[in-house]
Amino acid sequence: MPSRAVAVTDQRQAGYPEATGSSVFDRFMVCIMSGARSKLALFLCGCYVVALGAHTGEECVAKHHEAESYVAAVYEHPSILSPNPLALTSRQQALELMNQNLDIYEQQVMTAAQKGVQIIVFPEDGIHGFNFTRTSIYPFLDFMPSPQVVRWNPCLEPHRFNDTEVLQRLSCMAIKGDMFLVANLGTKQPCHISDPGCPNDGRYQFNTDVVFSNNGTLVDRYRKHNLYFEAAFDVPLKVDHTTFDTPFAGRFGVFTCFDILFFNPAVRLLRDYEVKHVVYPTAWMNQLPLLAAIEIQKAFAVAFGVNVLAANVHHPVLGMTGSGIHTPLKSFWYHDMENPNGRLIIAQVAKNPVGLIDAENATGEMDLSHSKFLKILSGDPYCEKDAQEVHCDEATKWNRNALPTFHSEMMYDNFTLVPVWGKEGYLHVCSNGLCCYLLYERPTLSEELYALGVFDGLHTVHGTYYIQVCALVRCGGLGFDTCGQEITEATGIFEFHLWGNFSTSYIFPLFLTSGMTLDVPDQLGWENDHYFLRKSGLSSGLVTAALYGRLYERD
């Protein structure tokens, strides 16, 4: 099935910058998703159009809020790859390939500069590529001095260190564009045999993010801690908790790709270092229904109440697409599995992100469904007052135990599920210590099977980590064995509460609707020791609504 983000505004209206030489009117562009009720969301929507160069009469709004916002860019890059990454090559040949990618980076920086961008983020592996061995990647590595020890401007001091050509080009780009620049490259660091961690070849090799200020100074580096089948690189002996301060938005944190699923460094950065903004280079292969790139990026922004600037590589044949600028209430994103071109995303972003909990997103008067949800949690029958009489509905227990329970593989994990049948219902399903609940209504029924699933255990494929998941998903077909398959289109509309008795406070709300469209819950939070997600008014069919809990201590 096609998997592409649906455009909300026409490129021609937005004056969208050309990314890789393709037409500006290329079929689909970045999607815009709003928290709907929030004034901040409306402000960001208007400013996004300004950031892309439209003349809509909203410029006064942007200028009024300039002191409260900054302009950011991320670039989804269709990187030029080595035809044979396993082959040995020379430094000169490696530089020739990397300079082709750096030429494209420079074009994007200059386009972004014309739009007033203050910080730009490029993806993981975007300069050198991937699938190298430890030996074959060596000619692609730059020497990396420690920014904590050495203050260095590679553009202005190009001869200070050998094998730093990539760093020099990136530094010069930051100066040309007058912006902070974040990029990812491979780096090397010699080590002595007396170092007990020193590899046999006498050097460390790191997957490294670098940050340059707008004057070209190397501000800091981050060496990836949670490697994802990257035999070419070493894990740093100590975790880098990398932050950098900017004059336009305060403190940013840095981590890379697979790091987003682990406590170190991602969660610790936000917990201990007062970070409100995250720059996130990634080379992410989408895996539905729970871990598409834009899905987890958005969930992280919502869960921690931060802004996430995420840049992915663009290789649809490998399932790699999905970049975005995400605030807790709003997202600007690109996901396209058909178009071979990359995309530059530019947005005006609040300096102080407003979290979903802070946004007063619940309605003033408690509606019927939320009142029923609270009654169910308290263990009381649901009651409503009609004129002078009070009617109590003992059917809150409904046919919870009448539905068939079945098992199906989702994301390589053995989920326990129950089918979601009928126009309304109250369901629950349990596994180990986790019980998941769903209270729902549907205005109309669709010719689709949905299921409520639970998993509480150690995930062991493509990484080992402990998760607790409650998920409402559209199945791939009408058979129970299709639940958990990767689909991107749906027509089923729901109003629902989804909740569970989670054993962790680290819970990521995953929310996708038809056409790889992001959505935002109406409400999230704890109630009677259960964490819940509430949503009504879906604009398109539901693909996935899930609460994805991480128990880091059980990894």
Side-chain angles (χ1 to χ4, degrees):
M1 288 188 178
S3 173
R4 96 185 322 181
V6 179
V8 176
T9 52
D10 186 88
Q11 284 182 310
R12 287 163 289 188
Q13 293 175 326
Y16 195 82
E18 191 170 346
T20 56
S22 59
S23 167
V24 222
F25 309 135
D26 228 0
R27 292 174 288 178
F28 283 81
M29 62 163 284
V30 175
C31 291
I32 305 171
M33 180 270 303
S34 171
R37 294 190 181 93
S38 160
K39 291 181 181 179
L40 174 65
L42 296 175
F43 153 64
L44 282 168
C45 184
C47 289
Y48 171 75
V49 177
V50 174
L52 294 184
H55 302 284
T56 62
E58 299 289 344
E59 295 189 26
C60 58
V61 179
K63 289 176 181 176
H64 178 72
H65 290 276
E66 273 179 3
E68 302 168 13
S69 63
Y70 64 99
V71 183
V74 301
Y75 178 57
E76 178 156 315
H77 178 46
S79 50
I80 299 166
L81 301 174
S82 169
N84 186 1
L86 302 182
L88 301 181
T89 187
S90 67
R91 174 67 172 174
Q92 187 56 41
Q93 289 171 316
L95 286 171
E96 287 173 4
L97 183 137
M98 291 191 290
N99 277 321
Q100 293 179 65
N101 288 307
L102 289 165
D103 288 343
I104 298 171
Y105 279 24
E106 189 164 342
Q107 294 168 13
Q108 304 312 312
V109 167
M110 299 319 295
T111 299
Q114 294 172 5
K115 307 297 180 182
V117 166
Q118 294 161 287
I119 184 168
I120 189 168
V121 183
F122 291 102
E124 180 187 26
D125 297 337
I127 297 172
H128 56 270
F130 35 74
N131 293 333
F132 294 93
T133 67
R134 181 174 183 85
T135 303
S136 68
I137 202 173
Y138 182 70
F140 293 83
L141 305 179
D142 267 34
F143 170 71
M144 168 59 72
S146 170
Q148 284 76 40
V149 177
V150 177
R151 181 173 175 82
W152 179 42
N153 188 311
C155 186
L156 302 184
E157 304 170 272
H159 304 299
R160 188 169 177 184
F161 303 102
N162 293 327
D163 292 340
T164 57
E165 292 90 340
V166 174
L167 291 169
Q168 292 168 34
R169 283 208 65 181
L170 293 169
S171 171
C172 292
M173 282 182 215
I175 294 173
K176 284 183 180 179
D178 189 23
M179 66 185 68
F180 275 64
L181 184 150
V182 181
N184 174 272
L185 72 158
T187 64
K188 59 187 177 183
Q189 178 184 325
C191 53
H192 194 268
I193 194 169
S194 61
D195 178 353
C198 185
N200 292 334
D201 52 18
R203 63 180 181 269
Y204 291 109
Q205 299 182 175
F206 297 119
N207 177 333
T208 306
D209 298 333
V210 288
V211 181
F212 293 94
S213 69
N214 61 327
N215 67 10
T217 299
L218 178 61
V219 174
D220 216 330
R221 67 170 182 202
Y222 166 71
R223 298 167 299 179
K224 186 177 180 182
H225 184 69
N226 298 287
L227 298 177
Y228 187 80
F229 301 101
E230 299 169 67
F233 294 120
D234 300 303
V235 175
L237 299 180
K238 289 180 59 179
V239 181
D240 290 343
H241 295 106
T242 300
T243 65
F244 62 96
D245 294 319
T246 67
F248 51 82
R251 180 161 296 171
F252 286 74
V254 190
F255 53 85
T256 310
C257 201
F258 202 38
D259 287 328
I260 202 169
L261 293 180
F262 296 91
F263 185 81
N264 261 320
V267 177
R268 187 178 293 276
L269 269 180
L270 303 183
R271 191 189 70 176
D272 297 345
Y273 291 86
E274 299 181 356
V275 166
K276 294 181 179 179
H277 316 270
V278 171
V279 290
Y280 178 59
T282 185
W284 191 279
M285 292 176 285
N286 289 286
Q287 190 173 14
L288 291 164
L290 302 180
L291 288 180
I294 58 172
E295 188 180 21
I296 189 64
Q297 294 162 14
K298 179 64 182 180
F300 193 91
V302 173
F304 290 105
V306 296
N307 297 327
V308 176
L309 315 183
N312 199 1
V313 288
H314 188 77
H315 294 287
V317 70
L318 301 175
M320 303 172 92
T321 181
S323 303
I325 297 175
H326 307 275
T327 76
L329 297 177
K330 191 171 184 64
S331 284
F332 311 82
W333 78 90
Y334 176 68
H335 172 106
D336 197 326
M337 288 291 288
E338 297 177 16
N339 192 330
N341 297 319
R343 189 67 79 215
L344 181 66
I345 306 170
I346 300 174
Q348 195 151 358
V349 186
K351 290 181 182 179
N352 294 299
V354 176
L356 192 64
I357 306 303
D358 305 324
E360 298 182 3
N361 41 48
T363 53
E365 295 184 6
M366 188 179 299
D367 61 39
L368 202 62
S369 67
H370 197 59
S371 178
K372 190 167 190 175
F373 159 71
L374 294 175
K375 284 288 185 182
I376 291 170
L377 269 187
S378 69
D380 294 337
Y382 167 68
C383 301
E384 63 178 342
K385 189 172 182 179
D386 178 15
Q388 302 302 313
E389 297 183 14
V390 175
H391 305 282
C392 288
D393 179 11
E394 295 288 352
T396 54
K397 294 183 174 55
W398 282 347
N399 57 346
R400 285 182 5 182
N401 299 313
L403 291 171
T405 298
F406 63 97
H407 295 271
S408 188
E409 186 177 280
M410 188 187 306
M411 311 285 296
Y412 302 103
D413 295 317
N414 186 27
F415 272 70
T416 305
L417 304 102
V418 291
V420 180
W421 289 335
K423 293 189 70 173
E424 61 178 9
Y426 165 42
L427 312 175
H428 90 301
V429 61
C430 299
S431 174
N432 293 336
L434 177 64
C435 288
C436 301
Y437 303 84
L438 178 69
L439 177 67
Y440 70 96
E441 293 183 9
R442 303 183 64 182
T444 57
L445 291 177
S446 60
E447 296 284 331
E448 298 160 309
L449 173 63
Y450 283 84
L452 171 67
V454 59
F455 180 79
D456 180 0
L458 192 66
H459 175 88
T460 57
V461 179
H462 301 156
T464 302
Y465 45 92
Y466 200 102
I467 55 175
Q468 290 185 326
V469 182
C470 293
L472 170 60
V473 296
R474 204 216 106 176
C475 304
L478 297 180
F480 289 169
D481 61 345
T482 69
C483 296
Q485 292 181 356
E486 298 194 24
I487 60 104
T488 59
E489 305 298 324
T491 61
I493 301 297
F494 287 79
E495 296 187 1
F496 65 94
H497 287 73
L498 173 68
W499 69 98
N501 61 330
F502 289 87
S503 305
T504 176
S505 60
Y506 297 109
I507 302 168
F508 301 89
L510 307 173
F511 211 144
L512 275 180
T513 60
S514 193
M516 293 300 296
T517 304
L518 292 171
D519 211 330
V520 177
D522 294 337
Q523 196 173 359
L524 286 168
W526 289 95
E527 193 72 52
N528 276 13
D529 297 322
H530 290 72
Y531 193 81
F532 75 95
L533 179 157
R534 172 191 182 194
K535 183 64 179 179
S536 61
L538 287 175
S539 58
S540 59
L542 181 68
V543 172
T544 301
L547 296 170
Y548 193 89
R550 281 287 285 115
L551 283 76
Y552 303 109
E553 69 278 7
R554 296 194 193 176
D555 290 353

